[in-house]
Amino acid sequence: MDLTKLLKPKSVAIVGASEKASTMGGDLLTNVKLWGKIENAYLVNPNYDTIFEHKCYRSLENIPVNIDLVVLCTPKKTIPDLLRQAAKKGCGGAVVFASGYSETRDAQGKQEEKELSALCKELGIALMGPNCGGFINYIDKVCGFAFIIEDRDRRGNVGFVSQSGQLCQSLMENTMKFSFMASVGNCCSVTVEDYMDFLVDDPDTKVVAAYIEGVKNPKRLAEVLKKAAIKRKPIVVLKTGMSEKGSKLASSHTGSMSGADKVFDAVIKKFGVIRVKDLQELIAISTVLATLPELPKKPTFSSMAFSGGETVVCADVAYLNGVEFPDFNQSTTDAIQAMLPYYATANNPLDMTFTMSYDSDIFAKALRTIMDDPNIGMCLLCFTILQNNVTPDVHTMIDGIEKVVRAGNAKPMAFIPLLENTREPKIIERLGKLGVPVLPPTNYAFAVLKYLADYISYSHFDKTLDLALPDIEEAAEAKGSKQTALSEFTSKELLKKYGLPVTGGAIAASEAEAVAIAGRTGYPLVMKIESTDILHKSDVGGVVLNIDNEKAAVEAYRRILANAKKNAPNAKINGVLIQEMAPKGLEMIVGVNNDPQFGPVILCGLGGIFVEIFKDVALYPAPLNKNEALKMLASLEAYPLLTGARGQKVLDVDALADAIVTISKYAADNKNTVSQVDINPLLVYPKGEGVRAVDALVINK
């Protein structure tokens, strides 16, 4: 969808324009006078001849030229007719503030929004809203935003799109600077994904930031995220729905479905998207990415402070957030030590002592020395900037920073205050011009730096950058239909065809068959109830292990059938599955859950009974490659068990990763039919000895 006439219009008509404060039309015009080009706006209101000394037209039809964008500050009932009038004037974009559509969650509101969407499609109009706050294009000075905010320069390079108007207002009252800012509401015509796509392609936008309450078009989102990953344009997302209550509130706000939060998290990580937990993190990481002249070459940091207390606090909070302070190499240590008083020690983080706060040349020399250390990717300056900075130390630091920047080849830098407070605007502005962002205090700061480190470490070259999205029509047909579970034998035979190593076995329908199969299989063996109606065999006494002779096999056969009849009397029994007793190995679980929006998602973790106890699992969307599978495994708390912890044997991690890829391929190939796959346990043996699935369950839609 072409959003040029919506977001970069040459001419704008404002219907419902007014001089009255606290009205959509009045507040919008106040903003247009401050940040827009009112001379390019055509005001429309039948009750006025002029507004703010500008000509006012009785209707859209009276405007003598064609228009690109119409902003409708009028009630809901007027919208359809006004859109038709605008279309006759060549209009290709519209902003609709009116509410009362799908966000009401009633049938009438949903139907009216559906009709509005169809009308826009018919007229070829890209509509922002309804139930929105509008937008500001700070680059071209186009204003269609109706919330009053403080007058100051906000022009920058962060493109922000939000389904909440109040969040837009909150961000604009902060120090963040924008290329575009849009409160997009219900997105009945243009989706959040469409706006993000526009911003990814926009040369004036360096960082794309978004507040999302739900995903309407997963395929479109995947395309946008893939494009951004390849372009290396950062996307920062604050998505609600992490909690059950948050998910319900998001749905009631804009009528959006938040979807399974853990699945969304896994999907965006695949594309290197930075997901933040709150608005402060969004502001901070967006500001860092927008302000730094270039990203650090390494995800490693140094810290410089004037006191031991600040240094220790930074070291501890960095550790808690997973931020790395590598040791200086020996030449850096020796050079810094020579600059310090005798009682100080050159470490990273560094307590410079106040002796370096009196001379900008000495500070600049120390900063340059640390920057030249090959172990360091970014330099952090831990110092609290006050509202009124009466002591010279902060100015000494900034003078030193300026000297280093002017000398060239400076590594990225950032200020970290120890406390939250109002900061002197002139200092923040001066640092910004030097490419040095000021972060929030330590806990937020190091959380944000961890996001930055992860983004630096991300590479799209070793990712698949595709999703096995379900086909819309087939998914709709399957919705609400009864699921069908396959038996263990059938499930394993199916996965075996894809190359998954499984334990062999056969089904006995009589005692005589049980004795014959047991003899061919060899002892010891295991026997299990075979029924599609019994998914958890142990719960009904349907499993017997370590059977080592014919007599025990007959007894096990009888006991399993008796237990099934007693504990699952309505189950259809196919017989008893007899299979080899696999040697002991580390029990892992590999599974699939088919998300209705994003398709199959692969799960792996510690298996057996431990999957429920520790819940140590990793999620990743299908399809995936071996490198992605290995990274899934490395993210587990239990990963040391695979790599020889405490003198244990190193296990066959390669074979386990291959098994994960195999299950991913099966899930992707069957994205429209498979619902769940559960392989638990998948036994992992010492390196070179492979893996084997001893139990499996496939459930189809």
Side-chain angles (χ1 to χ4, degrees), residues 372-420:
D372 289 342
D373 191 307
N375 295 335
I376 304 303
M378 182 173 181
C379 299
L380 308 175
L381 307 162
C382 297
F383 188 86
T384 300
I385 300 171
L386 304 174
Q387 185 171 9
N388 296 303
N389 296 271
V390 295
T391 57
D393 40 20
V394 65
H395 299 287
T396 300
M397 291 177 78
I398 298 174
D399 289 343
I401 291 169
E402 196 165 37
K403 291 174 182 178
V404 170
V405 170
R406 286 179 177 174
N409 297 317
K411 286 183 179 177
M413 293 173 277
F415 255 80
I416 298 179
L418 274 292
L419 296 168
E420 188 57 87

Side-chain angles (χ1 to χ4, degrees), residues 165 167 183 191 218 227 241 259 276 394 407 429 467 541 562 574 659 683:
L167 287 191
S183 160
T191 66
K227 182 193 294 186
V276 296
V394 65
E429 184 178 350
L467 298 177
N574 301 324
L683 298 180

Side-chain angles (χ1 to χ4, degrees), residues 624-636:
L624 55 80
N625 59 35
K626 188 169 182 178
N627 183 70
E628 290 167 299
L630 289 169
K631 287 188 176 180
M632 282 182 77
L633 294 171
S635 72
L636 297 171

